[in-house]
Amino acid sequence: MRNTHARRSLRLLSLSGLLLALLQSTARICFLAPWGAATNSGHGLPKIGLSAGPSFYNQKNSRPLTLLRAMEDYFTLVSVGAAGSGKSETGNTILGKAAFEASQGMAVQTVETKSELLKRGSATYRVFDTVGFTDVAVSASEMNDMISPVAILSEKGIDAFLLTFPCGRWGLENNATFKLFTENFGESALSNTIVVFTRCGQRQDSELVREMQRVVPSVLDSLGTLEATGSPPVIAMGELTKERRQDDQERLLQTLRALRARNGGRAYDSAPVFAELRAKRAKQEERIRALPSEDIQDLLLQLLRRVRIGTAPEAELEEGLLEVEALPKIEDEALRQAEEQRIFRKLKGNLLGGAASYVGTKIGQFIGGFFSSFIG
């Protein structure tokens, strides 16, 4: 017993050392240079760099690299299909939690597009649950309403549609859903599509692929084969047990990564709303680059990058941009400089808050994993 306690104490000491090293590394990444430190362009505003350790700046163009760009890999998934086909449950399986309310009866449960995030390793997955196709004729405006929330939070586009069908006979409803999907999103959307069959019990992906080859080979042909897996992007979601859900989640995320690799990282962005959002954000970037202070430009450009991937509200960016654009209207130089510094501190605080949240999540994962392995 005494030896067991001694070994456990040694493990805790080792864990403490590892945590200290992690926190020291985190400090180098998170904490910004204090006011009055090394400045950019002689404006008296501190450059957003690291207070210790290697520079966080891209040496080629002296622009800051963000934590999001340096540490994160973002995927956007949109679950679509007929009402009651298991879209919400598919999203919940990917997220590993009951984020979307799934219908348990005859009534339609999802009435608007919603999203949740899954952070796993260095990747972040944004999963959207959409309103089910309830009619064979969906108007262009209804489709736009469905996709607009996606474009606002993921300007680059959709890495994968999760086109859901209930497991069983491929009948008229499945044909109508597939036709409706291709007609409204275009044939090009199929290269970014994973077909997901729900409520498949113990059945496996390979069984459903063989059945599709026999019954609807044209659908398989339109999806193509993924080089990384050697199979079409078809997933069988099984029983709602913990073990099967974990297996389904892993296979689906593996298929997603293989799909992105096949597409060379190209996301679906053919819906008009994506072009509209990109044009709006391009104008915001033009306004930012027209500002006289490169320091504030750097902050706003980082905030714009976060807006583009849905990790910062657009209202925050627009508010900061309008405040900076109003600075020339302040005639008193001392008041103008004080206001500029206030805006700078606010923007810096917003960005630091996002970075601290990111690192806090990583520290939580680290601590959880080590306490499980060391204390067991």
Side-chain angles (χ1 to χ4, degrees):
M1 179 67 71
R2 186 174 300 171
N3 289 338
T4 301
H5 284 305
R7 285 195 299 270
R8 187 163 293 178
S9 297
L10 286 172
R11 288 177 179 176
L12 287 173
L13 285 172
S14 299
L15 175 59
S16 299
L18 287 168
L19 288 176
L20 178 60
L22 176 65
L23 290 171
Q24 288 173 338
S25 176
T26 299
R28 295 191 185 100
I29 294 175
C30 275
F31 293 105
L32 305 178
W35 194 264
T39 61
N40 187 24
S41 305
H43 294 157
L45 298 176
K47 177 178 278 191
I48 294 290
L50 295 180
S51 56
S55 172
F56 204 43
Y57 265 68
N58 182 327
Q59 297 298 328
K60 184 176 180 180
N61 58 16
S62 297
R63 289 296 185 190
L65 301 177
T66 66
L67 282 170
L68 293 172
R69 292 182 65 190
M71 294 184 172
E72 290 286 13
D73 193 10
Y74 281 82
F75 294 83
T76 300
L77 302 91
V78 178
S79 185
V80 295
S85 62
K87 301 183 311 303
S88 301
E89 206 60 72
T90 297
N92 290 339
T93 296
I94 296 170
L95 295 165
K97 61 182 180 180
F100 306 123
E101 190 172 355
S103 176
Q104 301 297 326
M106 298 177 68
V108 174
Q109 193 65 49
T110 306
V111 295
E112 62 180 351
T113 300
K114 300 178 181 179
S115 74
E116 287 285 345
L117 289 175
L118 166 68
K119 290 184 178 290
R120 188 171 181 179
S122 62
T124 297
Y125 303 87
R126 185 177 290 278
V127 183
F128 288 87
D129 186 27
T130 63
V131 179
F133 300 154
T134 55
D135 201 332
V136 294
V138 178
S139 68
S141 63
E142 288 174 324
M143 278 293 175
N144 200 59
D145 290 342
M146 180 191 298
I147 295 300
S148 288
V150 180
I152 290 170
L153 296 178
S154 181
E155 177 190 315
K156 72 179 180 63
I158 299 168
D159 291 295
F161 288 100
L162 307 176
L163 183 55
T164 59
F165 300 96
C167 207
R169 181 177 298 176
W170 186 284
L172 293 176
E173 184 177 2
N174 286 3
N175 278 327
T177 298
F178 188 78
K179 181 181 179 182
L180 185 64
F181 174 76
T182 54
E183 286 180 350
N184 284 279
F185 293 104
E187 295 284 342
S188 64
L190 293 172
S191 63
N192 291 91
T193 297
I194 300 172
V195 167
V196 179
F197 289 95
T198 62
R199 312 181 189 109
C200 291
Q202 297 290 334
R203 305 187 72 183
Q204 301 298 317
D205 305 342
S206 57
E207 296 178 52
L208 297 183
V209 169
R210 285 195 296 270
E211 287 192 22
M212 291 180 72
Q213 287 172 336
R214 182 172 54 85
V215 179
V216 282
S218 61
V219 173
L220 276 183
D221 290 341
S222 66
L223 296 173
T225 300
L226 303 178
E227 183 178 349
T229 63
S231 304
V234 174
I235 296 292
M237 306 288 275
E239 297 175 332
L240 300 182
T241 62
K242 180 180 179 181
E243 293 76 14
R244 178 61 189 256
R245 279 194 161 187
Q246 289 176 342
D247 183 61
D248 289 346
Q249 179 198 52
E250 184 56 45
R251 293 191 342 274
L252 208 155
L253 294 181
Q254 180 185 9
T255 301
L256 171 64
R257 293 189 291 270
L259 188 71
R260 175 186 272 189
R262 184 190 70 179
N263 294 334
R266 291 185 303 275
Y268 171 86
D269 61 356
S270 298
V273 66
F274 287 105
E276 295 168 7
L277 259 295
R278 278 197 294 270
K280 179 181 179 181
R281 305 270 165 78
K283 289 181 179 178
Q284 288 173 328
E285 183 168 348
E286 288 178 9
R287 290 165 61 194
I288 292 171
R289 294 193 183 279
L291 298 173
S293 168
E294 290 187 10
D295 304 279
I296 290 183
Q297 276 188 37
D298 289 339
L299 289 170
L300 288 171
L301 286 172
Q302 290 190 66
L303 188 56
L304 176 60
R305 292 187 191 105
R306 294 187 180 188
V307 169
R308 282 174 160 156
I309 56 175
T311 58
E314 187 163 6
E316 187 177 291
L317 170 68
E318 191 63 30
E319 179 185 350
L321 190 49
L322 289 172
E323 286 181 335
V324 178
E325 289 174 332
L327 285 174
K329 298 178 182 178
I330 302 176
E331 296 181 359
D332 186 280
E333 184 177 352
L335 291 177
R336 185 170 63 252
Q337 288 181 351
E339 176 65 3
E340 183 177 1
Q341 291 181 358
R342 182 196 67 79
I343 295 170
F344 184 92
R345 286 194 296 268
K346 184 180 77 170
L347 292 171
K348 185 175 69 171
N350 290 341
L351 289 168
L352 180 58
S357 175
Y358 169 86
V359 177
T361 299
K362 294 303 178 186
I363 291 175
Q365 294 172 349
F366 181 88
I367 292 173
F370 267 87
F371 267 107
S372 296
S373 61
F374 273 74
I375 299 176

